[in-house]
Amino acid sequence: QVQLVESGGGLVQPGGSLRLSCAASGSIFAINDMDWYRQAPGKQRELVASSTNDGKTHYLNAVKGRFTISRDNARNTVSLQLNSLKPEDTAVYYCNMNVLLSGTYYYDYYWGQGTQVTVSS
């Protein structure tokens, strides 16, 4: 099995920055997409940023130019740098990875437990 552990959330003032990290552990052979989602109270979970194994990145329009996703394939980690934070960025942030386990032949998706980001003065 695979475990995804997130860290780095917290309370920050508008305009501030945070860095979220997510580390995967387990019998991992390869990881395809590494993504960050968020879910605000009363809203659906939405894809914030995505990093593909061939180096492409994609962002939600609302965070373009403010958030940056990066990955370390050797360490099976993905990070999300959040700059110029706004109150509407407040949400629980989840990492999601598309993982191929050792000894298997198909990729499956795994979720982290979530980390709270609160932007408030």
Side-chain angles (χ1 to χ4, degrees), residues 22-112:
C22 176
S25 60
S27 301
I28 298 169
F29 183 79
I31 301 177
N32 196 357
D33 291 1
M34 294 184 179
D35 303 328
W36 284 96
Y37 286 74
R38 69 184 181 187
Q39 187 166 20
K43 295 189 177 181
Q44 287 189 334
R45 191 172 296 190
E46 61 182 357
L47 177 61
V48 175
S50 178
S51 173
T52 65
N53 203 22
D54 60 357
K56 295 177 183 175
T57 57
H58 303 276
Y59 295 94
L60 181 70
N61 282 340
V63 308
K64 280 182 181 177
R66 299 189 297 121
F67 292 7
T68 303
I69 189 170
S70 59
R71 64 192 283 167
D72 184 333
N73 291 325
R75 295 189 171 135
N76 293 331
T77 61
V78 62
S79 296
L80 187 68
Q81 179 68 38
L82 292 69
N83 295 332
S84 302
L85 281 161
K86 304 176 181 180
E88 51 263 42
D89 295 319
T90 295
V92 178
Y93 284 70
Y94 299 89
C95 68
N96 177 272
M97 295 190 188
N98 191 215
V99 178
L100 178 65
L101 293 177
S102 299
T104 66
Y105 301 95
Y106 60 91
Y107 283 82
D108 205 353
Y109 288 95
Y110 295 88
W111 291 92

